[in-house]
């Protein structure tokens, strides 16, 4: 919209029109007033939980992010109508209100979380770890920036999430799935079946005569929609991402070697040590405790005496860079194995540190990692350019340039796709090859039109600009265009119908006492066996339909099911049903318990949130909610 206003006001006529428009807006404010924007439960507030307000713009951002995330999963964007049909609008609103209710509850109870705990969670987040497996500050900053966070805002959000987890953990403490439920689901998951089966293929269907022109024409008339030409779109796009820009950045050996020396410890495998620590309120207590250790008391016994859990004491096998407190890190990596440090003044108190096993680090040579370092450095440099290129592209687009024209002016590589359908395929039926994996520009293009100035798509830490250059509408093909495909589909249907009839006849004979071996011999096939498979089995050479049908059939019962494609049919007999003994300590049972526990926890927390909302009060601005979700369009 703003870009359109800028374009409209770029000449004298546009400026005159915009002056009139702005005059009308100013007059409307004078008549109606603007007080509702600044006070009360107006359009700026979408919901209120206790004293916590959820602004309309805040919910709009949350809702938009959720739809984009689901669109990427589905391979095409969700429209607001589809989202409402699925009930996503209400689900996102309920989740947002629930989170706000937990935040309000944490404030009411005076809960807090220390900076040290917040930093511990962030340091252990795999999304922020570099190539060496340790926390990478540059990666942290780049990642949170990509999702629109400043460092302060991200830390505040993590603190809120941590407090919500504390409340949820307390509410769900002691929950566990009942043994009866675990036993029933375990039996269901581990039940095994065996079948004997025969395959009927095109050879058993007999001769399929060539269809007459009249037969083929009639079949085509009945199935025209299957052979309809899809809508195609011509589009152009340009990708501005760290990876894409990094491809064109040359990094000298001199620069790469400097980075290698700076990051040598991170690139290689750093030295790791088994580290234990006990924190004391002051230096005197720490010194007295160390004297007792020197006199023969073990470090573990001292921890037990102070009622410390192993998790409070043992930092594990850890690299120096992964220890949050620099003073503790320095002390730990200055001691020999088996030694206990002198009292160390750390951030959170005075500590004694003990070292166990030591694993030496491995330092690579520059030559062995030169390509990796250059790629990493090129990508980092490119990240710095992304914002600059974004602004330049927006300026060019705002000035009326097409994607191709803007890309050429800025020295970027634009891609043109001559024709693509909604599934990402070209007219020859093959996937379009020059669209980066994971980029949903095709689905975005099918929600746009020729001449529309589209907003850029966020992708790979950068942006993608695209234009729709042309639209070839969907149309009905005539028989001559698709005669070969129509005849092949007709033949496939004929084979399938004959095989199904033959399979039904064989099932009838088996139910009357016949044997699979005899029926297989009569059609020139053979009896095959699939033994001891579970419901979730994927058996080589056995269609998944056989597994599903076998678990719907009683022991010694017979059945039939389609095979691969339309030119195969399966007739089977269930020969065995067994329930093997289950190890309750197995990984499968543990995963089942975890899944059930998550469900019970979610239900318990949901009930708790409902109680909070009823106590502190929840109000929803339905008009603002309808505006954000498109319900009033």
């Amino acid at each position: 919209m703003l870009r359109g206003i800028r374009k409209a006001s770029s000449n004298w006529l546009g400026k005159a029109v915009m002056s009139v428009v702005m005059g009308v807006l100013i007059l409307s404010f004078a008549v109606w007033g603007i007080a509702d924007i600044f006070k009360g439960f107006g359009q700026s507030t979408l919901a209120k939980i206790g004293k916590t307000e959820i602004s309309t713009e805040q919910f709009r951002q949350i809702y938009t992010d959720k739809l984009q995330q689901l669109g990427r999963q589905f391979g095409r964007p969700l429209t607001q109508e589809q989202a409402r049909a699925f009930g996503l609008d209400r689900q996102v609103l309920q989740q947002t209100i629930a989170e706000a209710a937990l935040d309000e509850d944490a404030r009411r109870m005076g809960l807090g979380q220390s900076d040290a705990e917040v930093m511990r969670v962030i340091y252990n987040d795999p999304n922020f770890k570099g190539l060496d497996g340790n926390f990478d500050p540059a990666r942290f900053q780049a990642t949170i920036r990509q999702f629109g966070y400043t460092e302060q805002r991200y830390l505040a959000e993590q603190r809120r999430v941590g407090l919500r987890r504390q409340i949820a953990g307390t509410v769900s403490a002691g929950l566990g799935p009942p043994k009866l439920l675990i036993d029933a689901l375990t039996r269901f998951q581990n039940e095994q079946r065996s079948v004997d089966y025969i395959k009927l293929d095109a050879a058993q269907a007999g001769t399929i005569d060539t269809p007459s022109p009249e037969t083929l024409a009639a079949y085509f008339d009945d199935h025209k929609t299957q052979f309809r030409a899809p809508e195609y779109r011509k589009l152009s796009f340009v990708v501005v991402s760290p990876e894409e820009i990094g491809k064109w950045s040359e990094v000298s050996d001199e620069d790469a070697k400097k980075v290698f020396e700076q990051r040598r410890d991170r690139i290689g495998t750093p030295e790791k040590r088994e580290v234990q620590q006990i924190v004391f309120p002051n230096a005197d207590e720490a010194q007295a405790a160390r004297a007792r250790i020197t006199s023969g008391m073990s470090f573990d016994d001292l921890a037990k005496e102070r009622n410390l859990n192993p998790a409070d004491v043992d930092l594990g096998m850890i690299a120096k860079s992964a220890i949050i407190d620099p003073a503790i890190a320095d002390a730990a990596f200055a001691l020999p194995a088996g030694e206990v440090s002198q009292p160390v003044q750390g951030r959170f108190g005075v500590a004694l540190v003990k070292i166990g096993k030591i694993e030496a680090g491995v330092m690579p040579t520059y030559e062995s990692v030169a390509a990796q370092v250059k790629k990493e450095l090129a990508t980092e440099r490119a990240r710095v350019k992304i914002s600059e290129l974004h602004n330049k592209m927006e300026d060019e687009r705002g000035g009326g340039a097409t994607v191709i024209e803007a890309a050429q002016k800025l020295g970027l590589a634009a891609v043109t796709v001559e024709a693509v359908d909604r599934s990402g395929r070209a007219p020859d039926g093959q996937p379009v090859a020059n669209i980066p994996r994971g980029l949903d520009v095709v689905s975005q293009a099918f929600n746009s039109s020729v001449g529309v100035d589209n907003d850029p798509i966020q992708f790979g830490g950068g942006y993608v600009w695209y234009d729709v250059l042309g639209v070839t509408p969907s149309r009905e093909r005539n028989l001559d265009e698709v005669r070969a495909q129509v005849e092949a589909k007709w033949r496939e249907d004929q084979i399938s119908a004959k095989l199904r009839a033959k399979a039904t006849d064989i099932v009838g004979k088996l139910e009357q006492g016949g044997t699979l071996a005899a029926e297989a011999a009569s059609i020139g096939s053979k009896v095959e066996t699939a033994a001891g498979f579970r419901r979730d089995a994927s058996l080589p050479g056995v269609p998944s339909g056989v597994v599903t049908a076998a678990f719907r059939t009683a022991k010694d019962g017979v059945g039939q099911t389609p095979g691969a494609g339309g030119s195969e049919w399966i007739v089977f007999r269930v020969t065995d049903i067994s329930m093997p003994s289950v190890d309750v300590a197995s990984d499968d049972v543990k995963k089942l318990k975890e899944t059930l526990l998550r469900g019970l926890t979610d239900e318990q927390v949901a009930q708790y949130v409902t109680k909070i909302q009823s106590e502190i009060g929840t109000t929803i601005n339905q008009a603002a909610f309808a505006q954000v979700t498109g319900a009033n369009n």
Side-chain angles (χ1 to χ4, degrees), residues 62-73:
I62 294 171
Y63 187 61
T64 301
D65 290 346
K66 186 63 176 178
L67 293 191
Q68 290 178 348
Q69 176 188 346
L70 291 172
R72 286 192 292 271
Q73 292 176 358

Side-chain angles (χ1 to χ4, degrees), residues 374-392:
K374 287 184 177 182
K375 181 179 179 180
E376 187 176 332
L377 184 55
T379 301
E380 289 175 4
R381 289 176 175 176
R383 285 195 183 100
V384 178
K385 296 181 181 178
I386 295 299
S387 178
E388 177 186 347
L389 286 171
H390 172 272
N391 293 336
K392 288 182 178 180

Side-chain angles (χ1 to χ4, degrees), residues 89 93 157 179 206 211-212 278 297 301 326 450 561 580 621:
D89 52 346
L93 177 62
E157 178 64 22
K179 184 176 183 301
S212 66
I278 298 176
M297 187 178 195
D301 288 341
V450 176
T561 184
N621 186 339

Side-chain angles (χ1 to χ4, degrees), residues 271-287:
E271 177 185 328
K272 292 186 177 181
R273 296 184 168 208
E274 284 183 339
V275 181
Q276 292 179 293
Q277 68 169 357
I278 298 176
V279 180
F280 299 85
N282 54 63
D284 291 340
E285 284 194 37
Q287 191 63 57

Side-chain angles (χ1 to χ4, degrees), residues 497-550:
K498 288 194 173 187
L499 291 180
R500 181 168 189 166
K502 187 176 285 291
T504 301
D505 180 59
I506 293 174
V507 168
K509 292 178 180 179
L510 294 175
E511 289 175 341
Q512 296 299 320
T515 65
L516 269 178
E519 295 304 320
S522 70
I523 62 172
S525 184
K526 63 178 180 178
V527 177
E528 300 181 64
T529 298
F533 56 85
R534 302 196 314 182
R535 297 173 191 271
D536 57 355
S538 179
L539 307 175
V542 180
S544 59
V546 175
V547 175
T548 302

Side-chain angles (χ1 to χ4, degrees), residues 61-333:
Q61 184 64 50
I62 294 171
Y63 187 61
T64 301
D65 290 346
K66 186 63 176 178
L67 293 191
Q68 290 178 348
Q69 176 188 346
L70 291 172
R72 286 192 292 271
Q73 292 176 358
F74 294 152
R76 57 183 300 177
L78 286 176
T79 65
Q80 290 189 330
E81 292 78 8
Q82 290 171 329
R84 292 197 303 276
F86 293 147
L88 292 174
D89 52 346
R90 291 286 169 183
Q91 290 178 26
V92 175
L93 177 62
Q94 289 170 3
Q95 179 181 344
T96 306
I97 289 175
E99 291 173 351
L102 289 173
D103 293 343
E104 184 75 10
D105 196 40
R107 279 191 289 273
R108 289 195 308 165
M109 293 189 291
L111 297 181
Q113 189 173 53
S114 68
D115 291 339
E117 177 61 17
V118 174
M119 292 306 299
R120 186 191 68 78
V121 173
I122 292 174
Y123 271 49
N124 290 321
D125 191 327
N127 294 304
F128 305 141
K129 292 186 177 181
L131 298 173
D132 59 350
N134 293 321
F135 177 77
D136 185 344
R139 186 181 183 91
F140 167 71
Q141 293 290 345
T143 302
I144 64 173
R145 222 173 19 245
Q146 179 182 341
F147 289 94
Y149 283 96
T150 62
E151 183 174 335
Q152 289 73 21
R153 182 185 163 209
Y154 185 78
L155 291 174
E157 178 64 22
Q158 286 303 300
R159 185 172 282 106
R160 285 192 292 271
V161 170
L163 293 176
R164 292 172 199 157
R165 287 174 179 162
Q166 286 184 34
I167 295 172
T170 302
V171 170
S172 60
L175 280 179
K179 184 176 183 301
L180 184 62
L181 178 60
I182 294 174
D183 290 343
L185 290 175
T186 299
R187 285 197 301 272
F188 180 83
Q189 287 184 347
N190 291 280
E191 179 184 338
Q192 294 183 357
R193 301 207 171 192
S194 300
V195 297
D196 289 341
Y197 64 95
I198 57 175
K199 290 182 180 179
L200 286 68
D201 57 25
Q204 281 81 41
T207 303
I208 306 295
D209 295 329
T210 301
S212 66
E214 295 78 15
T215 299
L216 199 63
Y219 180 84
F220 175 69
D221 287 339
D222 291 340
H223 300 80
K224 272 188 176 180
T225 55
Q226 295 183 28
F227 305 101
R228 185 180 180 87
E231 177 182 324
Y232 289 100
R233 300 214 166 188
K234 180 178 181 180
L235 60 102
S236 61
F237 65 88
V238 61
V239 179
V240 175
S241 68
E243 183 178 358
E244 193 69 23
I245 302 302
K247 292 178 182 178
W248 310 103
S249 302
E250 291 189 5
V251 177
S252 66
D253 280 320
E254 181 182 359
D255 289 345
K257 285 180 179 178
K258 288 180 181 177
V259 172
F260 171 74
E261 292 300 330
Q262 293 168 358
R263 305 178 183 177
R264 182 188 288 269
D265 291 343
R266 289 170 44 201
I267 294 173
T269 302
E271 177 185 328
K272 292 186 177 181
R273 296 184 168 208
E274 284 183 339
V275 181
Q276 292 179 293
Q277 68 169 357
I278 298 176
V279 180
F280 299 85
N282 54 63
D284 291 340
E285 284 194 37
Q287 191 63 57
R290 189 177 188 283
R292 295 177 66 193
I293 292 174
T294 304
S295 300
M297 187 178 195
S298 73
F299 203 82
D300 292 337
D301 288 341
L302 178 62
K304 290 177 182 177
E305 183 181 279
R306 300 183 70 83
N307 295 320
L308 296 174
N309 296 320
D312 299 325
V313 175
D314 194 355
L315 301 183
M317 183 65 73
I318 193 170
K320 184 176 182 179
S321 59
I323 300 177
I324 299 175
D325 193 324
I328 301 298
D330 290 341
F333 278 77

